[in-house]
Amino acid sequence: MNCRSEVLEVTVEARQVEEAMLALLHTILLHRSTGKFHYKKEGTYSIGTVGTLDIDCDFIDFTFVRVSSEELDRMIRKAVSEFKDALSNSGSDGMGQISLEFYQKKKSRWPFSDECIPWEVWSIKVNVVNLANEQERQICREKVGEKLGEKVINVVEVINRHEYLPKMPTQSEVDNVFDTSLKDVQPYLYKITYQITDSLGTSVSTTMRRLIKDTLAL
């Protein structure tokens, strides 16, 4: 099975990192989650509803939609918070990547552990820039909101393609495809990882600063 790989890239100031990552990760998971399965008998089941919430960002002119599950939100926020802290500890300007990998389990014979086979990976590259004053921050607030809107549309377009998804499992195999640990939603099995690099590519930093400077000149 070939694993699909998608890459998104955003440039933000430090205070926007958390909201930008939550917006993108929650958007992806919204489309990679189902309601809880309720089995009547093997091969027959109904699927519960998935509630949604509109979330307004504080540091970006942007509103995103997420699954209303507080349990899922806590898990995503924990991963994003760890990534944000690692980024901030890497220096004033930094670059990092947070990845959301969807996988399914393949049962192995004892004494071997189950094999985890990825089928889709989303990598979000994050460039952090420092801005000189409040006027630049306000422009960045608007520009990042516009860019996030473009990224969300891109995510939806990719997800709407007719490509591989794990087939709906039988009751005995549901834990090989979905995370059934949450009480109100059932995302595909996933894991979040991140990595940090020490310095920001000058081309990315320069592009954002030029964008802000051009807006100030208008």
Side-chain angles (χ1 to χ4, degrees):
M1 175 177 48
N2 293 325
C3 176
R4 283 195 304 279
S5 181
E6 300 291 339
V7 179
L8 304 171
E9 187 165 357
V10 293
T11 300
V12 295
E13 61 169 326
R15 65 178 184 171
Q16 296 172 324
V17 169
E18 185 170 15
E19 289 181 338
M21 296 306 96
L22 287 173
L24 293 174
L25 292 174
H26 266 304
T27 297
I28 297 165
L29 276 161
L30 173 64
H31 295 277
R32 289 290 183 243
S33 299
T34 73
K36 296 289 285 186
F37 285 14
H38 303 287
Y39 287 91
K40 300 179 176 71
K41 57 183 179 179
E42 187 66 45
T44 305
Y45 60 89
S46 60
I47 302 177
T49 57
V50 177
T52 59
L53 286 175
D54 290 348
I55 304 298
D56 296 324
C57 297
D58 292 326
F59 301 115
I60 307 171
D61 284 349
F62 193 68
T63 299
F64 64 93
V65 181
R66 72 163 174 85
V67 173
S68 59
S69 169
E70 296 302 324
E71 285 182 284
L72 181 60
D73 183 52
R74 279 195 299 272
M75 294 166 71
I76 304 304
R77 284 182 180 276
K78 181 177 183 295
V80 168
S81 179
E82 291 172 358
F83 174 63
K84 181 189 71 172
D85 290 345
L87 256 184
S88 64
N89 292 334
S90 69
S92 55
D93 275 4
M95 184 165 68
Q97 178 174 294
I98 190 165
S99 297
L100 174 59
E101 175 186 300
F102 294 99
Y103 66 93
Q104 59 188 107
K105 292 179 184 176
K106 183 179 179 182
K107 293 293 184 182
S108 299
R109 292 185 178 181
W110 186 88
F112 302 104
S113 57
D114 293 345
E115 183 181 1
C116 295
I117 304 171
W119 53 271
E120 183 175 78
V121 178
W122 294 82
S123 298
I124 306 170
K125 294 182 178 180
V126 185
N127 306 298
V128 180
V129 294
N130 282 326
L131 301 177
N133 53 54
E134 192 57 41
Q135 188 177 16
E136 287 191 358
R137 291 191 189 96
Q138 183 58 38
I139 294 168
C140 185
R141 176 189 180 98
E142 297 168 4
K143 295 299 181 186
V144 171
E146 292 172 6
K147 292 296 182 184
L148 278 182
E150 294 172 6
K151 303 299 180 189
V152 166
I153 291 171
N154 179 226
V155 168
V156 174
E157 287 175 345
V158 169
I159 285 176
N160 281 339
R161 294 175 192 161
H162 295 293
E163 297 191 41
Y164 175 84
L165 284 175
K167 67 178 182 180
M168 285 296 114
T170 60
Q171 184 172 5
S172 60
E173 295 179 334
V174 67
D175 290 328
N176 295 338
V177 175
F178 291 101
D179 179 353
T180 59
S181 66
L182 307 177
K183 67 177 185 294
D184 51 0
V185 71
Q186 196 164 274
Y188 284 99
L189 288 171
Y190 72 92
K191 63 180 177 180
I192 298 175
T193 57
Y194 66 82
Q195 60 189 58
I196 307 296
T197 53
D198 291 333
S199 60
L200 172 66
T202 54
S203 62
V204 177
S205 178
T206 302
T207 299
M208 174 56 88
R209 295 185 197 286
R210 187 181 298 123
L211 191 63
I212 291 171
K213 197 170 292 184
D214 289 347
T215 304
L216 284 169
L218 294 177

